[in-house]
Amino acid sequence: MRVNHNALKLENNYLFSEVGRRLAAFQKENPDRKLLKCSIGDVTRPLPRIITDAMNSAVEEMGRAETFRGYGAEQGESFLREAIANYYSKRGIQIDPVDIFISDGAKSDLGNMCDLFDADNTVLLPNPVYPVYYDTNVMAGRRVVFLDGSKENGFLPMPDESVKADIIYLCSPNNPTGAVYNRSQLTAWVQYAIDQGAVLLFDAAYESYICDPTLPHSIYEIAGAEQCAIEINSLSKMAGFTGVRCGWSVVPRALQLDGASLHDMWFRRMSTKYNGTSYIIQRAAEKVFSAEGQAAVHEDIAYYMENARILKAALTKAGIWSTGGENAPYVWVQAPDGLGSWEFFDKLLHTYAIAGTPGAGFGTAGEGYLRFSSFGTRETVEAAAALLETL
Ligand code: MLT
């Protein structure tokens, strides 16, 4: 037998596993020091009561003969697909529930989408960006080219006509930099994708953190996007579902590339390899999109955004350059004194017991930067901010 040699090309550890390993080693050596975790983007607020109530009543339904359910609808239950379509329509975006597929999260969808595309494609990635895009395409044996973000372009690289691309990933608001593309920038990306005959995979996992009302939340706010774009989203960050697991992808039937319907291909792929998200979780997810559910999750979003403000204020006080944190739950920090990403990570960890995520882990253009997540508890963030002010 032969293993997938492309999988051997990956770094030994996934970024967040490596960070976790170093933090665990630190904690083992320093059991009395309290680690201030601002590293992985994992939520800390409990689920709102209205959402756990919906989950509990679905559990009750499963325990009664009259309401028990076995396998669910392959694409996801229609009540949830309709609730999501309605969520889009409030922003003036018309999405047919038929084009929505429910999954267990954005990361799975982003990786699984690789099944739809030939290995012989060129993948274009912004740099820095969520490492899953790169890792999953390396595993699939594809060529990857990068467009670098920098201080100069506001970490929002724009398409370059001279670069040939077949599969384009965008993450806006961006993980890790917190930068958000505006309408005219996204219009240029959609045009570029159409001109190239490429597919655009738009990761909108952080859209609910956008505070500036002029910024687009969905690629489908841009004319023509339904001919070139798939949108991937998740309730992990919007509604605290990192441990619950529920996401969705919009794969429009209008999206026809290389003579094939990506919608039909995704339907076939999902019905072959996935048996659906749990009914209990889909009922909880449905509640997220109700008026009361949205009010409850927006309280948590405001809490995390206040954390971002506190972190940024401390960095400003210390004279350290940062960006992000205004329309996204990540603060992107330039390492002081010319330190490299991992050097700054180690300094923060060993001197202050503060955990960040090294920018270099998100791509070469992240070298010299570090990302703070604002998903910690207020107590953690305030303690970290007090120390950061003295940097
Ligand atoms: C992050 O810290 O970037 C996120 O937790 C990654 C993820 O959502 O998988």
Side-chain angles (χ1 to χ4, degrees):
M1 67 78 77
R2 281 174 55 77
V3 297
N4 175 4
H5 281 255
N6 293 316
L8 299 176
K9 292 179 192 157
L10 295 176
E11 301 264 332
N12 274 349
N13 285 332
Y14 178 56
L15 173 62
F16 296 105
S17 315
E18 178 58 23
V19 169
R21 195 187 62 75
R22 292 194 189 203
L23 299 185
F26 171 82
Q27 200 68 96
K28 198 166 171 202
E29 281 162 27
N30 304 277
D32 301 330
R33 293 184 71 185
K34 179 164 167 34
L35 197 52
L36 301 170
K37 284 192 192 160
C38 302
S39 47
I40 189 162
D42 195 5
V43 291
T44 50
R45 306 274 291 161
L47 294 174
R49 169 62 60 152
I50 183 171
I51 293 167
T52 53
D53 281 350
M55 217 180 265
N56 282 326
S57 38
V59 169
E60 287 301 320
E61 278 183 61
M62 293 300 255
R64 283 196 302 270
E66 318 78 71
T67 46
F68 170 76
R69 292 168 179 244
Y71 289 125
E74 282 171 314
Q75 223 183 312
E77 300 299 339
S78 56
F79 61 76
L80 178 54
R81 289 187 287 118
E82 277 157 24
I84 294 171
N86 188 39
Y87 175 71
Y88 278 101
S89 75
K90 290 198 181 116
R91 223 175 275 293
I93 307 163
Q94 296 319 316
I95 304 281
D96 192 325
V98 171
D99 291 340
I100 297 171
F101 294 80
I102 309 300
S103 71
D104 65 350
K107 189 196 216 171
S108 318
D109 276 2
L110 286 159
N112 293 335
M113 290 272 166
C114 283
D115 280 0
L116 305 190
F117 310 117
D118 195 278
D120 186 18
N121 273 308
T122 300
V123 177
L124 178 61
L125 298 185
N127 179 11
V129 86
Y130 186 37
V132 167
Y133 314 154
Y134 178 73
D135 287 358
T136 52
N137 279 290
V138 168
M139 281 190 215
R142 294 199 186 95
R143 280 180 305 281
V144 179
V145 294
F146 295 98
L147 274 182
D148 286 355
S150 62
K151 245 185 184 181
E152 290 63 43
N153 62 20
F155 291 96
L156 292 169
M158 292 303 293
D160 173 348
E161 296 304 327
S162 67
V163 176
K164 170 85 194 87
D166 304 303
I167 304 171
I168 303 159
Y169 287 77
L170 291 183
C171 181
S172 181
N174 180 275
N175 177 11
T177 67
V180 188
Y181 283 111
N182 66 27
R183 210 166 290 273
S184 74
Q185 290 168 323
L186 283 187
T187 303
W189 273 109
V190 165
Q191 195 52 54
Y192 170 75
I194 292 172
D195 292 347
Q196 298 269 327
V199 63
L200 177 54
L201 302 180
F202 189 78
D203 181 351
Y206 299 94
E207 61 81 20
S208 52
Y209 287 81
I210 294 176
C211 299
D212 177 343
T214 67
L215 292 171
H217 289 235
S218 164
I219 195 68
Y220 302 116
E221 292 180 49
I222 309 301
E226 69 290 347
Q227 294 161 45
C228 65
I230 291 175
E231 180 159 298
I232 296 105
N233 209 330
S234 148
L235 293 182
S236 286
K237 313 298 157 75
M238 183 207 283
F241 271 43
T242 54
V244 176
R245 310 306 314 150
C246 189
W248 74 89
S249 287
V250 180
V251 190
R253 276 156 302 160
L255 187 52
Q256 305 278 334
L257 289 169
D258 190 21
S261 158
L262 293 188
H263 174 96
D264 292 351
M265 287 177 75
W266 186 238
F267 189 94
R268 188 70 175 85
R269 191 260 170 228
M270 289 296 268
S271 48
T272 305
K273 292 197 184 177
Y274 189 57
N275 256 339
T277 306
S278 146
Y279 171 71
I280 297 159
I281 302 309
Q282 293 194 66
R283 277 294 181 200
E286 177 193 25
K287 204 45 121 182
V288 171
F289 296 102
S290 68
E292 313 94 288
Q294 282 293 298
V297 299
H298 275 279
E299 263 179 45
D300 291 338
I301 289 171
Y303 175 96
Y304 295 132
M305 291 307 281
E306 175 61 10
N307 282 351
R309 196 199 58 73
I310 293 168
L311 288 168
K312 272 179 82 86
L315 291 161
T316 306
K317 228 174 192 176
I320 293 174
W321 187 88
S322 71
T323 185
E326 277 158 11
N327 294 289
Y330 296 124
V331 179
W332 184 242
V333 187
Q334 185 164 36
D337 309 322
L339 291 178
S341 290
W342 283 101
E343 285 170 330
F344 188 37
F345 169 88
D346 282 334
K347 177 177 172 181
L348 286 176
L349 180 60
H350 292 282
T351 316
Y352 303 103
I354 295 175
T357 304
F362 298 93
T364 50
E367 182 51 87
Y369 291 87
L370 179 132
R371 188 197 74 175
F372 283 132
S373 151
S374 67
F375 286 113
T377 62
R378 182 62 46 79
E379 186 195 6
T380 297
V381 165
E382 281 176 345
L387 294 166
L388 288 173
E389 280 181 14
T390 67
L391 263 180

XYZ file of all heavy atoms in Angstrom, residues 123-165:
337
model
N -4.641 26.914 -6.347
C -5.401 27.499 -5.240
C -4.753 28.830 -4.865
O -3.539 28.903 -4.695
C -5.373 26.533 -4.025
C -6.082 27.140 -2.827
C -5.982 25.199 -4.400
N -5.575 29.854 -4.747
C -5.055 31.176 -4.367
C -5.498 31.486 -2.935
O -6.695 31.478 -2.636
C -5.601 32.236 -5.337
C -5.194 33.684 -5.048
C -3.685 33.858 -5.116
C -5.866 34.636 -6.038
N -4.522 31.775 -2.095
C -4.832 32.077 -0.691
C -4.284 33.425 -0.292
O -3.133 33.742 -0.599
C -4.171 31.042 0.236
C -4.576 29.590 0.110
C -3.894 28.781 1.211
C -6.074 29.436 0.226
N -5.074 34.206 0.437
C -4.504 35.382 1.075
C -3.531 34.901 2.154
O -3.695 33.803 2.681
C -5.708 36.087 1.721
C -6.915 35.323 1.322
C -6.479 33.988 0.808
N -2.573 35.706 2.462
C -1.546 35.338 3.437
C -1.345 36.558 4.334
O -1.027 37.617 3.796
C -0.259 35.006 2.645
C 0.924 34.633 3.517
O 0.785 34.411 4.712
N 2.100 34.589 2.909
N -1.601 36.464 5.633
C -1.938 35.296 6.428
C -3.425 34.969 6.372
O -4.248 35.843 6.087
C -1.549 35.741 7.851
C -1.781 37.218 7.870
C -1.432 37.686 6.479
N -3.719 33.698 6.692
C -5.121 33.271 6.708
C -5.257 31.981 7.525
O -4.253 31.323 7.854
C -5.647 33.120 5.257
C -5.336 31.747 4.673
C -7.140 33.418 5.148
N -6.486 31.633 7.844
C -6.842 30.408 8.578
C -6.110 29.206 7.958
O -6.266 28.934 6.760
C -8.359 30.261 8.453
C -9.014 29.164 9.235
C -8.581 28.809 10.516
C -10.125 28.497 8.711
C -9.228 27.816 11.222
C -10.779 27.503 9.416
C -10.316 27.162 10.672
O -10.967 26.181 11.368
N -5.296 28.484 8.743
C -4.413 27.467 8.161
C -5.117 26.280 7.506
O -4.507 25.552 6.719
C -3.574 26.992 9.364
C -4.216 27.542 10.581
C -5.074 28.685 10.178
N -6.397 26.099 7.805
C -7.133 24.951 7.254
C -7.181 24.992 5.720
O -7.108 23.950 5.059
C -8.559 24.910 7.858
C -9.467 23.953 7.121
C -8.484 24.540 9.335
N -7.240 26.180 5.122
C -7.314 26.264 3.652
C -6.043 25.678 3.032
O -6.099 24.938 2.054
C -7.454 27.711 3.151
C -8.465 28.592 3.833
C -8.297 29.980 3.842
C -9.592 28.078 4.442
C -9.217 30.811 4.444
C -10.517 28.915 5.058
C -10.311 30.273 5.060
O -11.208 31.102 5.667
N -4.922 26.072 3.594
C -3.643 25.603 3.058
C -3.476 24.103 3.317
O -3.217 23.327 2.392
C -2.495 26.394 3.699
C -1.132 25.944 3.231
C -0.682 26.259 1.950
C -0.302 25.185 4.061
C 0.567 25.821 1.509
C 0.943 24.759 3.622
C 1.375 25.083 2.348
O 2.602 24.645 1.909
N -3.656 23.706 4.567
C -3.395 22.310 4.940
C -4.260 21.339 4.134
O -3.782 20.313 3.660
C -3.643 22.101 6.443
C -2.554 22.725 7.314
O -1.597 23.290 6.761
O -2.660 22.648 8.555
N -5.552 21.658 3.964
C -6.431 20.705 3.273
C -6.059 20.608 1.790
O -6.185 19.540 1.193
C -7.914 21.096 3.412
O -8.084 22.443 3.011
C -8.410 20.920 4.819
N -5.577 21.687 1.210
C -5.197 21.636 -0.209
C -3.847 20.979 -0.424
O -3.628 20.328 -1.449
C -5.259 23.034 -0.828
C -6.695 23.370 -1.192
O -7.257 22.787 -2.116
N -7.317 24.265 -0.435
N -2.956 21.136 0.563
C -1.683 20.407 0.478
C -1.960 18.907 0.544
O -1.437 18.124 -0.246
C -0.719 20.863 1.610
C 0.472 19.916 1.730
C -0.238 22.282 1.340
N -2.836 18.514 1.443
C -3.194 17.085 1.567
C -3.766 16.547 0.261
O -3.607 15.374 -0.061
C -4.274 16.898 2.639
C -3.764 16.910 4.042
S -5.112 16.372 5.130
C -4.801 17.375 6.549
N -4.483 17.430 -0.466
C -5.101 16.994 -1.726
C -4.127 17.104 -2.895
O -4.481 16.787 -4.033
C -6.352 17.839 -1.999
N -2.921 17.595 -2.639
C -1.883 17.635 -3.671
C -2.016 18.803 -4.641
O -1.536 18.713 -5.775
N -2.653 19.885 -4.223
C -2.824 21.026 -5.150
C -1.695 22.050 -5.007
O -1.094 22.188 -3.943
C -4.166 21.736 -4.878
C -5.311 20.860 -5.202
C -6.614 21.632 -5.397
N -7.601 20.594 -5.542
C -8.342 20.125 -4.538
N -8.296 20.677 -3.357
N -9.155 19.118 -4.738
N -1.502 22.784 -6.112
C -0.564 23.915 -6.091
C -1.216 25.062 -5.334
O -2.402 25.339 -5.549
C -0.308 24.446 -7.506
C 0.655 23.693 -8.355
C 0.781 24.374 -9.718
N -0.489 24.555 -10.411
C -1.130 23.607 -11.070
N -0.634 22.382 -11.107
N -2.280 23.854 -11.690
N -0.447 25.736 -4.507
C -1.004 26.864 -3.760
C -0.162 28.094 -4.040
O 1.067 28.033 -3.987
C -1.017 26.570 -2.239
C -1.582 27.752 -1.467
C -1.825 25.310 -1.929
N -0.816 29.186 -4.392
C -0.103 30.462 -4.544
C -0.716 31.451 -3.555
O -1.865 31.303 -3.149
C -0.178 31.016 -5.991
C 0.567 30.115 -6.952
C -1.604 31.221 -6.454
N 0.086 32.443 -3.192
C -0.344 33.355 -2.148
C -0.393 34.796 -2.616
O 0.383 35.203 -3.485
C 0.635 33.295 -0.962
C 0.652 31.968 -0.280
C 1.631 31.028 -0.580
C -0.307 31.650 0.662
C 1.651 29.792 0.048
C -0.292 30.415 1.297
C 0.684 29.492 0.989
N -1.274 35.553 -1.994
C -1.266 37.011 -2.141
C -1.031 37.561 -0.745
O -1.802 37.260 0.179
C -2.621 37.505 -2.638
C -2.873 37.524 -4.138
C -4.250 38.102 -4.408
C -1.808 38.341 -4.874
N 0.025 38.349 -0.604
C 0.404 38.761 0.742
C -0.362 39.966 1.260
O -0.484 40.994 0.590
C 1.905 39.076 0.785
C 2.730 37.790 0.746
O 2.116 36.694 0.775
O 3.962 37.902 0.699
N -0.847 39.831 2.486
C -1.379 40.964 3.227
C -0.223 41.645 3.935
O 0.804 41.012 4.227
N -0.364 42.931 4.192
C 0.702 43.671 4.860
C 0.058 44.887 5.529
O -1.103 45.206 5.273
C 1.732 44.143 3.835
O 1.086 45.025 2.920
N 0.884 45.580 6.326
C 0.414 46.825 6.933
C -0.044 47.780 5.843
O -1.037 48.477 5.973
C 1.590 47.482 7.660
C 1.443 47.570 9.139
C 2.635 48.359 9.669
C 2.602 48.417 11.162
N 3.694 49.170 11.737
N 0.724 47.777 4.720
C 0.478 48.734 3.630
C -0.891 48.509 2.983
O -1.588 49.458 2.662
C 1.568 48.643 2.550
C 2.932 49.156 2.995
C 3.549 48.349 4.140
O 3.494 47.098 4.113
O 4.059 48.986 5.093
N -1.272 47.245 2.749
C -2.585 47.024 2.116
C -3.674 46.702 3.139
O -4.736 46.194 2.791
C -2.518 45.975 0.986
C -2.095 44.594 1.486
O -2.207 44.301 2.664
N -1.621 43.753 0.581
N -3.398 47.016 4.403
C -4.408 46.819 5.452
C -4.744 45.347 5.641
O -5.823 45.013 6.107
N -3.808 44.461 5.278
C -4.022 43.010 5.341
C -5.228 42.585 4.516
O -5.911 41.623 4.838
C -4.102 42.520 6.798
C -2.767 42.618 7.489
C -2.456 43.725 8.282
C -1.791 41.654 7.288
C -1.204 43.846 8.876
C -0.548 41.756 7.883
C -0.253 42.860 8.679
N -5.475 43.341 3.436
C -6.561 43.008 2.510
C -5.990 42.941 1.090
O -6.181 43.863 0.284
C -7.670 44.071 2.605
C -8.435 44.094 3.929
C -9.310 45.333 4.041
C -9.268 42.824 4.099
N -5.246 41.865 0.779
C -4.675 41.781 -0.566
C -5.776 41.728 -1.617
O -6.841 41.149 -1.383
C -3.867 40.479 -0.536
C -4.408 39.696 0.612
C -4.930 40.691 1.602
N -5.499 42.341 -2.764
C -6.476 42.411 -3.856
C -6.002 41.533 -5.008
O -4.828 41.210 -5.118
C -6.637 43.868 -4.308
C -7.316 44.758 -3.260
S -8.946 44.142 -2.788
C -9.856 44.357 -4.309
N -6.931 41.106 -5.869
C -6.536 40.194 -6.945
C -5.530 40.823 -7.897
O -5.536 42.032 -8.117
C -7.856 39.892 -7.657
C -8.841 40.889 -7.209
C -8.378 41.407 -5.893
N -4.683 39.952 -8.424
C -3.668 40.380 -9.370
C -3.963 39.636 -10.677
O -3.891 38.402 -10.724
C -2.300 39.965 -8.776
C -1.155 40.204 -9.728
O -1.416 40.473 -10.927
O 0.002 40.106 -9.277
N -4.326 40.407 -11.709
C -4.754 39.806 -12.993
C -3.717 38.851 -13.561
O -4.052 37.934 -14.304
C -5.020 40.910 -14.031
C -6.173 41.843 -13.687
C -7.499 41.128 -13.444
O -7.735 40.094 -14.101
O -8.278 41.581 -12.588
N -2.436 39.077 -13.202
C -1.396 38.241 -13.808
C -1.300 36.879 -13.107
O -0.570 35.996 -13.552
C -0.051 38.961 -13.761
O 0.352 39.081 -12.417
N -2.012 36.713 -11.992
C -1.966 35.434 -11.265
C -3.146 34.571 -11.694
O -4.296 34.986 -11.608
C -2.002 35.666 -9.729
C -2.058 34.342 -8.979
C -0.817 36.498 -9.290
N -2.850 33.368 -12.155
C -3.896 32.440 -12.598
C -4.369 31.628 -11.389
O -3.559 31.074 -10.650
C -3.274 31.529 -13.673
C -4.098 30.354 -14.102
C -5.099 30.713 -15.201
C -6.149 29.619 -15.397
N -7.318 29.722 -14.527
N -5.679 31.613 -11.184
C -6.201 30.857 -10.030
C -7.458 30.107 -10.435
O -8.241 30.582 -11.253
C -6.504 31.804 -8.886
